Amino acid sequence: MTTAQTVKVQLVRSPIGCKEDHRATVRGLGLRRLNSVSELQDTPAVRGMINKIAYLVKVL
């Protein structure tokens, strides 16, 4: 039985005033409001999304 690796991401800055594609990336990660936390599978696609908006999120 294998367990999938996960990563927890928390939105720490507001996406108001950011580029539209950065806002879409925040929503794509499942983050809605400030301090919301989303637990996602640790894949290269998710890592790329986190790197794109690294100034808005914190990895827990």
Side-chain angles (χ1 to χ4, degrees):
M1 186 161 127
T2 62
T3 58
Q5 295 292 331
T6 60
V7 60
K8 277 189 172 182
V9 182
Q10 181 180 18
L11 187 64
V12 294
R13 287 192 58 199
S14 173
I16 295 174
C18 295
K19 291 182 174 182
E20 189 63 39
D21 61 324
H22 288 203
R23 260 184 263 162
T25 303
V26 169
R27 293 293 296 129
L29 288 173
L31 301 169
R32 291 185 176 265
R33 55 182 63 94
L34 222 51
N35 294 320
S36 64
V37 177
S38 183
E39 189 167 353
L40 306 157
Q41 288 187 353
D42 192 9
T43 63
V46 170
R47 284 287 175 170
M49 291 170 78
I50 292 170
N51 286 337
K52 183 175 184 177
I53 58 166
Y55 63 101
L56 296 175
V57 297
K58 177 171 66 172
V59 178
L60 303 175

